[in-house]
Amino acid sequence: MQGQNEKDVDQLANLRPEQGSYSEKELALLDYVKVLTLEPANVRDKHVERLRKVGWTDEQIFEASFITALFAFFNRMADAYGLY
């Protein structure tokens, strides 16, 4: 849980983060990484602009994008080699 309360973790796991106690800033980031994970070809400038508007810096957006892509890579490699 890395410092997040259990209710928020449950809401996120159930794909309902808006029902948790996440800030607007955090919800924007969660929306962005969801699109980047599930529909990477659909990421547009508007997604990054929304993150900037709620207070994320370009460096933070880069880091979130990098971490999201890295986990996608790890998961695909685990799938490829049958590591569960």
Side-chain angles (χ1 to χ4, degrees):
M1 290 185 356
Q2 301 298 312
Q4 198 68 32
N5 74 51
E6 189 173 341
K7 180 184 176 210
D8 288 346
V9 173
D10 289 343
Q11 296 302 344
L12 186 58
N14 291 311
L15 303 178
R16 296 185 307 243
E18 68 284 348
Q19 294 180 8
S21 61
Y22 296 101
S23 68
E24 178 184 1
K25 185 177 179 180
E26 291 166 326
L27 287 171
L29 185 63
L30 290 169
D31 288 342
Y32 170 72
V33 299
K34 181 179 179 182
V35 173
L36 183 57
T37 299
L38 300 176
E39 309 170 71
N42 291 329
V43 172
R44 300 286 183 263
D45 289 344
K46 69 179 183 176
H47 296 105
V48 175
E49 286 304 319
R50 179 179 177 210
L51 293 173
R52 289 178 180 142
K53 185 177 179 181
V54 296
W56 294 104
T57 67
D58 285 347
E59 291 81 8
Q60 291 170 319
I61 296 166
F62 174 84
E63 185 173 355
S65 301
F66 183 81
I67 291 168
T68 301
L70 192 59
F71 271 89
F73 170 77
F74 290 151
N75 288 330
R76 282 163 181 74
M77 291 301 290
D79 288 345
Y81 289 98
L83 305 173
Y84 303 121

